[in-house]
């Protein structure tokens, strides 16, 4: 069955999910690691709703250029609307494995939560290396889905749901192998770090509460999971919140590298 589709409904969900303070904080950390400078040309691979593109645009200023590249027309529509006031931004439709740019076009590139959806990692990283100048910097962030801690009273049902959720992407554990992939693609890895998303209480404006809906919708009908299972799973998690024994965390792994 198909992976998560980045259609119009998903674009709206992701816009909401990525506006939560958890992800705002993550973006600030990623931006700090990339350290974009005024006048630089920067690429965001899989730019989605365009929030990071906006921050990059403000960092490089009008003497620089920012390209957001995404394969989803719906995502690009959202990103174009957001960035329309920054004419030095371009939102381009294309695939991470066939970047529509000349060789050495960029000083820096970033990609958050994208390569885990891309089947051909060696091909995608080789093309990323091609479009960066030698010495260009890259920051890649992906989730390792083994890192999820989520307190559910019915653990067996919870694990069935999280197992079905792994169908939403190609590489649920990409961070385990990303450093090697980067090295083989012609990068020197200069930094590895972890950004935990941690929700100690149930609150609608958090990553976990927003994800619950996305996960529930995706897993319904997969691996024998019914709508009733999903309703009960969500009720269980909300009850953890009401009883003050809610706990969620997941790790995002950041790789900083330089094109050699
Ligand atoms: C989870 S979203 C992350 C969006 C954005 N990077 C962020 O962190 O806000 C994943 C994005 O990757 C895009 N994507 C997935 N596979 C892609 C591919 N092969 N080429 C380009 N974009 C892709 C999707 O359309 C979607 O916008």
């Amino acid at each position: 069955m198909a992976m998560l589709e980045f259609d119009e409904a998903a674009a709206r969900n992701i816009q909401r999910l990525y506006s939560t303070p958890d992800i705002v904080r993550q973006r600030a950390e990623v931006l700090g690691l990339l350290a974009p400078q005024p006048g630089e040309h920067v690429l965001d691979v899989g730019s989605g709703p365009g929030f990071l593109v906006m921050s990059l645009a403000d960092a490089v200023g009008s003497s620089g250029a920012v390209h957001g590249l995404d394969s989803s027309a719906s995502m690009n529509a959202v990103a174009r609307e957001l960035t329309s006031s920054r004419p030095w931004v371009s939102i381009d439709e294309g695939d991470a494995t066939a970047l529509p740019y000349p060789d050495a076009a960029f000083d820096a590139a970033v990609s958050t939560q994208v390569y885990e959806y891309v089947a051909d990692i060696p091909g995608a990283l080789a093309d990323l290396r091609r479009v960066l100048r030698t010495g260009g910097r890259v920051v890649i962030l992906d989730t390792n889905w083994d890192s999820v801690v989520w307190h559910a009273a019915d653990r067996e049902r919870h694990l069935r749901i999280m197992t079905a959720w792994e169908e939403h992407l190609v590489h649920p554990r990409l961070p385990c192998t990303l450093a090697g992939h980067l090295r083989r693609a012609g990068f020197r890895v200069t930094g590895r770090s972890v950004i935990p998303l941690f929700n100690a209480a149930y609150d609608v404006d958090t990553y976990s509460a927003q994800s619950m809906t996305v996960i529930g919708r995706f897993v319904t009908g997969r691996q024998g999971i019914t709508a009733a299972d999903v309703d009960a799973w969500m009720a269980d998690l909300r009850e953890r919140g009401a009883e003050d024994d809610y706990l969620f965390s997941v790790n995002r792994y950041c790789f900083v590298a330089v094109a050699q």
Side-chain angles (χ1 to χ4, degrees), residues 3 39 45 48 56 72 84 108 117 129-130 158 169 173 221 227 232 242:
M3 293 193 316
V45 179
L56 293 168
S72 156
S84 61
Y117 296 97
R129 170 64 194 90
R130 179 186 65 76
H158 175 68
L169 78 178
R173 283 162 275 280

Side-chain angles (χ1 to χ4, degrees), residues 10 46 53 106 116 168 172 193 195 222 224 226 252:
V53 170
F106 297 100
E116 57 194 59
H168 89 282
S193 53
I195 301 180
R222 290 172 191 260
T226 64
R252 263 93 193 265

Side-chain angles (χ1 to χ4, degrees), residues 220-232:
T220 303
R222 290 172 191 260
Q223 302 188 11
I225 293 164
T226 64
D229 289 332
V230 168
D231 287 348

